[in-house]
Amino acid sequence: MKIVRILNNNAVVVHHGSREKIVFGPGIGFQKGKNDPVNQKKIEKIFSMEEETPKFEQLLKTLPIEVIETGEEIISYAEGEMHLPLSDHIHISMIDHLAFALERMKQGITIENKLLHEIKALYQEEYRIGVWAIQKIKTDLGVELPDAEAGHIALHLHTAKLQTGSMEKTVQRTSLIQELIQLVENDAGLELAEHSMSYHRLVVHLNFALARAEDGKGFDDMDPEMLTLIQTKYEKAYGAACELADHVKQEAGLPFPVPEIGYIALHIQRILSNQSLS
């Protein structure tokens, strides 16, 4: 394995088989030149992103090495905590995002995340890693990022799980759930506390319902008598659930069958019942 290009002291481009790949490791490019052999003992990671490799090369050439190293440590920590490999694209998206977030903080631009409540409920493991990451950034780079940034990191990690699609799809799903929660709050005339069990259960149920609809998987059936009871006894909750289903159909083109609407109505009824007791 011979060096084709030096990107920085810790990253080089090599010929590996018929393709060019990026090899990453501490000091792997230090005092090296083209056609020099790679020290195999220093290799930590090998990236093969094909059409995206030039963008990653550009990042490695232009960003401070400490930002790259911190980003890579966050990715490695996440893979260890989640016990699964992340998509190669995370090495671009995470490091690029981290550099952008640090630049915004230097310019005094506030970092916001309007989906933070939903992210905490939906992606608990990823958010916990995001909290660890912002502490790591503070320790390594001396920059204190807000909790909102832990949410952004969580979205990148969730998207990088194998077979989860694009960042855009992750944000769209999370945004849709936020809209559905707001519809419930409007119908109930209250604001759901993000740490409440009712909020958490509803968010998680809606996420699974949307995933099943997107994948075309079957929904759990409901006893017809139970469904009739919900429709008649919990008329307000069922009406709100129908409104949610209409919104999902209109915004995402995904149909919720009647039994699923019934289950959503039960979650909404629990919220209404808790409201009457408070």
Side-chain angles (χ1 to χ4, degrees), residues 82-94:
M82 294 192 287
H83 306 291
L84 52 79
L86 298 175
S87 164
D88 278 349
H89 184 71
I90 189 66
H91 298 281
I92 293 177
S93 63
M94 180 67 78

Side-chain angles (χ1 to χ4, degrees), residues 8-29:
N8 58 44
N9 285 341
N10 301 305
V12 297
V13 178
V14 301
H15 273 307
H16 191 259
S18 61
R19 296 180 179 179
E20 286 190 352
K21 296 186 178 182
I22 297 174
V23 175
F24 198 91
I28 204 164

Side-chain angles (χ1 to χ4, degrees), residues 18-209:
S18 61
R19 296 180 179 179
E20 286 190 352
K21 296 186 178 182
I22 297 174
V23 175
F24 198 91
I28 204 164
F30 182 65
Q31 293 185 340
K32 295 290 184 178
K34 185 177 180 179
N35 293 323
D36 283 348
V38 173
N39 186 336
Q40 301 288 326
K41 294 181 180 180
K42 291 186 176 182
I43 296 176
E44 287 189 347
K45 294 180 181 178
I46 298 177
F47 306 124
S48 179
M49 289 174 280
E50 298 179 1
E51 71 274 5
E52 294 188 285
T53 295
K55 183 176 181 181
F56 192 39
E57 286 188 31
Q58 189 64 25
L59 285 176
L60 296 178
K61 288 178 181 178
T62 57
L63 294 181
I65 187 61
E66 59 268 21
V67 173
I68 296 168
E69 289 176 343
T70 299
E72 286 299 325
E73 287 185 46
I74 291 170
I75 293 167
S76 295
Y77 177 82
E79 289 180 326
E81 289 295 300
M82 294 192 287
H83 306 291
L84 52 79
L86 298 175
S87 164
D88 278 349
H89 184 71
I90 189 66
H91 298 281
I92 293 177
S93 63
M94 180 67 78
I95 294 172
D96 192 30
H97 174 79
L98 178 56
F100 184 53
L102 293 170
E103 184 61 31
R104 283 184 295 172
M105 288 298 292
K106 289 179 182 179
Q107 295 174 0
I109 299 173
T110 303
I111 296 174
E112 296 182 356
N113 190 334
K114 295 181 180 180
L115 301 175
L116 188 58
H117 294 339
E118 287 70 32
I119 291 169
K120 287 181 179 179
L122 289 172
Y123 315 126
Q124 295 182 49
E125 184 177 40
E126 292 92 330
Y127 179 74
R128 178 179 55 78
I129 295 170
V131 172
W132 179 90
I134 60 175
Q135 183 57 50
K136 176 71 173 173
I137 292 165
K138 180 180 178 181
T139 301
D140 289 1
L141 304 178
V143 179
E144 189 168 356
L145 297 174
D147 287 345
E149 185 56 35
H152 289 303
I153 291 171
L155 284 177
H156 280 285
L157 293 175
H158 180 74
T159 303
K161 285 182 176 180
L162 297 183
Q163 309 301 321
T164 58
S166 66
M167 181 70 164
E168 181 181 5
K169 183 178 179 181
T170 301
V171 172
Q172 285 176 344
R173 165 84 69 78
T174 311
S175 298
L176 179 56
I177 290 172
Q178 182 186 62
E179 292 170 9
L180 298 178
I181 293 297
Q182 289 172 347
L183 287 175
V184 173
E185 289 178 332
N186 292 339
D187 284 327
L190 54 81
E191 182 175 346
L192 291 173
E194 65 170 290
H195 298 297
S196 69
M197 283 303 298
S198 295
Y199 171 87
H200 177 76
R201 286 169 178 159
L202 180 58
V203 167
V204 171
H205 184 91
L206 290 173
N207 185 47
F208 281 121

